[in-house]
């Protein structure tokens, strides 16, 4: 097997056995990038010499990610590597420090392959990245480059971040595994903020076991991988999700639910609490105000350097009264309280990962409506690919757990991933017509 | 015109005072946020309901 086709676990095992070196793996990934990047545009900055030098240096550090090249969303500070935040304001910015999570993966033996494209400041103004399943479609955002790079086999793992749906949505659109751990589980230090109380560190891999390996590396905890011995007890969410999903997504979701039930999972219909219907308004008010606060000073001097969407978004947040922001945060407390009660009745709950499959064109990266609830509550969520829609684009199943349940949630997600049986080996970019 | 429409109009007028014509480009955002603020403002909350000031879900395992 060509090294670029290896998933994270296979690559770490091959390197540990001595049958593969970090340099060989990095070279294979760089070759893969060379052949696919002109169609995918996943990378904002990549320096092959620096990546190969990093692979040599990584040999000095033995850890869970020994010798593994990692893709990094371009809002994470990376010492000595340009970090543009998807904005022309930062087009020449080279940090002299690493983000906390970059320090952590380097301690675990990883090296930085390059920086992946993000939407502008991780909001909506799109990146140039395309979807490997159909390059006429968006890969989703804001972690656009990371999802597309993992799906194409340009790297086995990549960092993203999520404030609304920026890890789960692109992972689902690109047919890979996406993980958004509990709020504050992983340090956001050195990651350019979008909205502090909603921002989450996250990442993409091609298998759930790889996601477990990555979480071990990021938390510095040794948790041996064990599969679930019995099928999980799963709460099935409909209501709000059925109202907003398109028919293709909903059919795929019901099929996945039936498949899991057929495999022995306890699938229990569950009613969302009354407060859940407030999620879109509460999320919108909090996010608008916090985004405005983050950018309030910079936009005074650099207004013309901002894209149209984010400029309007900032303006809307600046107009919100302080009491309205606090009201939203008070209602958020109520939503969290109600949802904790619901979710603790099950091993996990499920809903579709997205409202639709990847939209055509690159201008709109899709709706975060199915992910924002878990960014707002801070609950951990994972997407696993669940099948293909009638337009041959991937569908995802989103699996959500109680706060700090990541380790068991990964086992639940792995059980679902295995039973749904989606092939997540690297895809060659497809351009119809 | 409903009270919600009045509120959205007031938000837009404020935006025009602050940013002039540039406010027109932001109209969809301003109106969407105004609607959310309005809807949440219609709810009656108990004083004991405290805001989330820092998400802390409990001890990590």
């Amino acid at each position: 097997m060509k090294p670029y086709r290896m998933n994270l676990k296979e690559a770490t095992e091959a390197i540990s056995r001595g049958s593969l070196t970090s340099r060989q793996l990095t070279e294979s990934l760089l070759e893969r990038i060379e052949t696919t990047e002109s169609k995918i545009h996943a990378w904002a900055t990549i320096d092959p010499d620096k990546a190969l030098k990093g692979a040599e240096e990584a040999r000095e550090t033995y850890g869970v990610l020994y010798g593994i090249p990692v893709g990094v969303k371009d809002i994470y500070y990376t010492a000595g590597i340009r970090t543009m935040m998807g904005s022309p304001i930062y087009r020449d910015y080279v940090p002299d420090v690493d983000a906390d999570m970059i320090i952590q993966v380097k301690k675990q033996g990883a090296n930085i392959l390059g920086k992946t494209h993000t939407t502008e400041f991780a909001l909506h103004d799109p990146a140039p990245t395309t979807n490997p399943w159909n390059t006429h479609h968006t890969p989703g955002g804001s972690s656009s480059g990371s999802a597309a790079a993992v799906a194409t086999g340009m790297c086995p793992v990549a960092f993203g971040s999520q404030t609304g749906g920026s890890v789960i949505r692109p992972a689902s659109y690109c047919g890979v595994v996406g993980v958004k751990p509990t709020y504050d589980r992983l340090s956001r230090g050195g990651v350019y903020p979008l909205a502090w109380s909603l921002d989450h560190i996250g990442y993409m891999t091609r298998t759930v076991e790889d996601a477990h390996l990555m979480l071990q590396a990021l938390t510095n905890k040794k948790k041996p991988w064990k599969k679930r011995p019995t099928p999980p007890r799963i709460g099935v969410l409909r209501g709000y999700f059925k109202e907003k999903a398109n028919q293709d997504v909903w059919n795929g979701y019901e099929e996945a639910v039936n498949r899991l039930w057929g495999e022995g999972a306890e699938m229990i219909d569950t009613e969302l609490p009354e407060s859940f219907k407030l999620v879109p308004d509460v999320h919108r008010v909090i996010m608008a105000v916090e985004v405005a606060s983050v950018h309030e000073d910079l936009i005074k001097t650099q207004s013309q350097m901002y894209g149209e969407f984010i400029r309007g978004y900032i303006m809307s947040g600046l107009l919100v009264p302080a009491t309205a922001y606090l009201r939203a945060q008070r209602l958020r407390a109520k939503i969290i309280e109600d949802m904790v009660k619901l979710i603790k009745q099950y091993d996990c709950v499920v809903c579709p990962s997205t409202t639709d499959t990847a939209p055509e064109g690159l201008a709109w990266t899709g709706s975060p409506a199915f992910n924002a609830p878990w960014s707002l509550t801070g609950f951990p969520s994972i997407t696993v690919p669940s099948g293909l829609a009638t337009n041959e684009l991937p569908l995802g199943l989103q699996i959500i757990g109680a706060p700090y349940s990541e380790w068991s949630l990964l086992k639940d997600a792995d059980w679902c991933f295995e039973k749904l049986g989606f092939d997540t080996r690297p895809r060659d970019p497809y351009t119809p017509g | 015109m409903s009270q919600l429409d009045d509120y959205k109009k007031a938000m837009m007028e404020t935006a025009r005072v602050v940013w002039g014509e540039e406010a027109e480009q932001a109209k969809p955002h301003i109106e969407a946020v105004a609607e959310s603020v309005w809807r949440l403002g219609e709810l009656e909350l108990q004083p004991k309901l405290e805001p989330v000031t820092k998400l802390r879900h409990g001890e990590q395992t």
Side-chain angles (χ1 to χ4, degrees), chain A residues 182-185 188 197 221 223 278 280-282 284-285 288 303-304 308-321 324 326-334 336-337 340 375-379 403-404 407, chain B residues 7 10-16 18-61:
Chain A
T182 308
Y183 181 80
D184 250 1
R185 162 71 90 172
R188 289 171 282 112
S197 81
K221 289 185 192 301
K223 298 268 185 180
L278 302 174
D281 288 329
V282 170
R284 182 179 293 121
V285 171
S303 174
Q304 295 314 309
E308 192 176 323
F309 190 101
I310 189 167
R311 201 163 59 235
Y313 202 88
I314 292 165
M315 287 159 75
S316 73
L318 289 170
L319 293 170
V320 175
L326 279 172
R327 174 171 285 265
Q329 290 285 21
R330 292 171 71 195
L331 288 161
R332 181 186 194 180
K334 172 69 177 153
I336 291 171
E337 184 188 333
V340 165
S375 299
L376 184 74
T377 56
F379 295 178
Y404 297 115
W407 300 109
Chain B
Y7 185 70
M11 283 274 256
M12 269 311 294
E13 280 169 10
T14 307
R16 284 187 195 105
V18 179
W19 295 294
E21 282 183 14
E22 207 185 339
E24 298 305 325
Q25 288 176 356
K27 193 174 178 185
H29 299 289
I30 292 168
E31 291 195 339
V33 168
E35 279 188 34
S36 292
V37 167
W38 175 263
R39 277 194 291 267
L40 299 182
E42 290 294 282
L43 303 170
E44 194 175 331
L45 306 186
Q46 295 295 319
K48 68 178 182 186
L49 183 58
E50 293 186 17
V52 172
T53 49
K54 183 74 177 167
L55 274 181
R56 287 280 183 228
H57 286 302
E59 291 299 307
Q60 292 193 24
T61 53

Side-chain angles (χ1 to χ4, degrees), chain A residues 75-369:
Chain A
I75 61 167
Y76 285 63
Y77 281 36
T78 42
I81 304 176
R82 186 174 61 158
T83 301
M84 297 188 284
M85 329 297 175
S87 164
I89 298 170
Y90 286 94
R91 65 180 176 268
D92 299 318
Y93 180 59
V94 180
D96 54 9
V97 292
D98 279 325
D100 291 351
M101 286 297 102
I102 303 304
I103 293 170
Q104 182 59 23
V105 291
K106 284 183 174 176
K107 276 186 190 163
Q108 296 287 355
N111 55 293
I112 305 307
L113 186 60
K115 304 300 290 291
T116 56
H117 273 303
T118 171
T119 57
E120 185 177 356
F121 289 115
L123 196 63
H124 287 283
D125 296 285
T129 312
T130 65
N131 191 316
W133 287 81
N134 182 335
T135 58
H136 295 323
H137 288 245
T138 178
S142 61
S143 309
S144 318
S146 290
V150 171
T152 322
M154 297 176 179
C155 56
V157 58
F159 277 110
S161 66
Q162 177 164 315
T163 308
S166 291
V167 169
I168 300 297
R169 185 167 85 259
S172 177
Y173 282 170
C174 291
V176 297
V177 173
V179 179
K180 180 204 79 71
T182 308
Y183 181 80
D184 250 1
R185 162 71 90 172
L186 302 174
S187 169
R188 289 171 282 112
V191 178
Y192 202 95
L194 181 57
W196 305 281
S197 81
L198 298 165
D199 289 345
H200 292 70
I201 296 299
Y203 54 90
M204 290 90 162
T205 57
R206 287 194 296 272
T207 71
V208 178
E209 190 173 353
D210 285 358
H212 175 94
L213 192 65
M214 185 65 171
L215 191 62
Q216 283 192 79
L218 298 179
T219 56
N220 207 24
K221 289 185 192 301
K222 282 189 179 166
K223 298 268 185 180
W225 175 245
K226 284 182 195 159
K227 286 192 171 286
R228 265 196 80 92
T230 54
R233 179 180 154 83
I234 298 175
V236 178
L237 301 179
R238 290 191 175 88
Y240 167 95
F241 298 97
K242 188 173 182 182
E243 285 164 22
K244 293 184 187 298
N246 76 12
Q247 199 57 50
D248 234 6
V249 164
W250 197 255
N251 292 345
Y253 176 59
E254 292 290 2
E255 262 177 47
V257 166
N258 279 332
R259 170 83 69 92
L260 299 178
W261 175 77
E263 295 285 349
E266 225 183 312
M267 306 300 287
I268 303 149
D269 287 341
T270 185
E271 289 280 317
L272 288 161
E274 188 67 14
S275 59
F276 196 84
K277 71 179 182 198
L278 302 174
V279 165
D281 288 329
V282 170
H283 185 271
R284 182 179 293 121
V285 171
I286 293 170
M287 188 161 159
V289 172
E290 293 188 14
V291 170
S293 183
V294 167
H295 289 275
E296 188 176 10
D297 294 331
L298 191 58
I299 201 169
K300 281 179 191 161
T301 56
Q302 306 278 347
S303 174
Q304 295 314 309
M305 302 287 268
Y306 277 80
E308 192 176 323
F309 190 101
I310 189 167
R311 201 163 59 235
Y313 202 88
I314 292 165
M315 287 159 75
S316 73
L318 289 170
L319 293 170
V320 175
T323 49
Y325 174 77
L326 279 172
R327 174 171 285 265
Q329 290 285 21
R330 292 171 71 195
L331 288 161
R332 181 186 194 180
K334 172 69 177 153
I335 295 165
I336 291 171
E337 184 188 333
D338 291 348
M339 285 306 294
V340 165
K341 280 182 200 155
L342 180 142
I343 219 158
K344 285 199 163 171
Q345 298 171 50
Y346 311 102
D347 290 320
C348 59
V349 297
V350 294
C351 65
S353 297
T354 55
T355 57
D356 52 3
T357 52
E360 192 168 3
L362 302 186
W364 168 240
T365 61
S367 165

